[in-house]
Amino acid sequence: MAVLNKIRQRSLVLILVIALALFAFVIGDLFKNSDALTGSSQDVVATINGTDINRAEFQQKVKNYQERAGGRQTSTQAMNAIYNQELRSIVLKSEFEELGLSVEKDEMRDLLKNSFSSYPEFQDENGNFDVNRLNAFISNLRDLNGQTAPLGNFMVNYDSWTNNEQTIAANAIQQTYYNMIKAGVSTTIAEAQEEYFGDAKTIDVRYVQVPYTTIADSLIDVSKSDIQAYMNKHKDTYETDATREVIYVEFKEEASKADEDKIKADLLALKADKTEYNESSKNTETIPGFDSASDIEEFVNSNSDIKYNDSFLRADQLPAVAKDTLIKLNVGDYYGPYKDGEYYKLSKVIAKKQMPDSVKVRHILIPNVGGTRADASVTKTPEEAKKTADSILAKINSGTKFMDLLELSSDKVSNEQDGEIEFDYKAGMAPEFKAYAFDNKVGDVDVVQTSFGYHVIEILEQKSFNQTVKVATIADKIEPSDQTLQDVFNKMSKFEIASKDGDFNALAKERELTVKPITFNELDENIPGLGSQREVVRWAFDDDTDTGEFKNFAISNFGFIVAKLVEKKEKGLMSTEDASITALPEIRKEKKAKMIREKITGTTLADISKNQGQSIKTAAAITIKNTTLSGAGVEPKVVGAAFGLAQGETSKPIDGEKGVYVVEVTKVNEATKLDNYTAIMNRLNTERRNKVQTKVFTALENAAEIEDNRAKTVY
């Protein structure tokens, strides 16, 4: 009883401990997932001007986009494309709503008329657009309750029609919006004059340049505070997004020498016959090898990773690593095993013959429904097309001239050349057409089927005969064995375990592994040579991943990497160390310019030239638009300052790109004023209006309130 009493006394404490543990767990999870505290949702990809992009809808659009792209876009590329579309749509919609732009019913009917007036479904007996037929079509779609109806070459339902209407309306509003802005964009006469004189007015100058290189960099002291001050002054240049620096080593799953040796041995073993015990017949059977196989095609296809090719090949059509040997072998001779790309191959010459390099034929094409390039006028089925082609062949064999039947051919291009086509063995012809022309003799005529239909082909000429070979090749893809894969995994695991207590770089060096650095932005995905690796980026940006942590990642069709997070940089001004690469030269220039200005004495170019030990240079016919100063290079500040001087006037010292300058204007070549600046105004109007759409949207995007959660929700 005493024990039971103690248990009862402590039960309350135990319950309290469990409750506190559960509370801590929940609170910890809340802090770990700040969304529970902030109210933001993992279902919101982004919020733009107060409008949420829903995660489920966004992902469906991404999926549809990838399907339309046919797999040519990675998931990240597709997400970026859809995000940009949604961003543009929401930003513009916000602007349109604020301006009260909309499409009214009558305007919508006009837009639909412009879009669909060419469709027979909406035309009357005279071919004119009939709005009543349009209304009836829309009404019918509504009554079909989601079922589709034909429209031109498409099948549409009511939802797809209304979506299309919305797209048409949105495009119309957008065009109206941009037209309104363009109407307000114009060029004044003063701007046209400035444009004209920018090219027409010139000046001649003399100048002295004191190069920055006259002062050694070692004499210039640049502190961290100097760099910080420079960064603060040029924030647009030195503001960066959040980044993560990662180093990694690779563990490739590739075949070892032992694996390759086994592949070669297995290929050689296929040459000889082998015996196998057949469980069904209870007999030992002989399996023919490459040496004695009667059906070469079946043997190759049963034992090779590359299907049998029954063609005669010229030297340049054979594998580059083996062509010189294969073309010289006798029938029945082998070559290999030899390495060709990602395969080991064993090749056997099974036939040789002289074949032409080019041919001339003429043909009559009878197309069939479903054939390549068959248009709406083609009505024959494949069976009917073959019957027609056979009848044409019969007439030719009976003595009718080929030329007299050319009018039956649908190949109008070759018909203009008497049905003749001349091509070499490299030409991209239909394979069946090409095979007949090269494999048969001059004078042969026959019917050949291709994807275009049925051809009646006559071989007219064959030229440049050369040696060809038919080669049976067994190819075995070079892949790592299970043991090698296990060895790679063990090697990776041992490295990862050792890295917990050891130096990552030193361990990599000991194992002759190359340490590769890479810096990610939050929405990046690619690692050079490894392709899209969003999982690595997500890990590097995860709030729970601390600097110094490492992790292994399986890389599809490659192997593994072990990555280590070495540095976190949050959004804002970059570090003084990183900024110093570009800031240091500019700060040195500023300090050198100040030192040079303090040294310059005298008021004339001659005095300055003498006391600074620099020659006087000249530059003629300078324009305000061309900022290249002859003898000095591109110097926009110097040229701009020179145009502010009167003829005969000398400037104060000017800090340029390559030195400090003192300039004297020796001559001002005034341009003749034009009587009319309309042509220039029109050109500038066109240029400015053409840039409106890009610049306006950029301005709207910059002004928009955007909360981008892509990296945390869908990436």
Side-chain angles (χ1 to χ4, degrees), residues 264-276:
K264 290 187 283 186
D266 289 345
L267 284 173
L268 289 172
L270 289 171
K271 292 173 65 176
D273 297 348
K274 62 180 179 179
T275 57
E276 287 185 358

Side-chain angles (χ1 to χ4, degrees), residues 2 18 29 117 155:
I18 293 172
D29 192 58
S117 59
M155 297 297 293

Side-chain angles (χ1 to χ4, degrees), residues 14 59 65 75 139 156 168 227 230 250 289 336 426 461 490 493 497 505 529 620:
L14 184 60
Q59 289 183 317
Y65 180 87
S75 59
S139 178
V156 299
I168 292 171
I227 297 174
Y230 186 85
E250 300 173 345
K426 296 179 182 178
E461 186 179 349
N490 290 340
S493 299
I497 292 169
N505 292 301

Side-chain angles (χ1 to χ4, degrees), residues 656-676:
E657 292 296 317
K658 297 176 182 174
V660 176
Y661 298 77
V662 177
V663 180
E664 177 190 354
V665 176
T666 57
K667 186 178 181 183
V668 176
N669 305 298
E670 296 288 356
T672 304
K673 292 184 178 181
L674 298 179
D675 294 332
N676 192 307

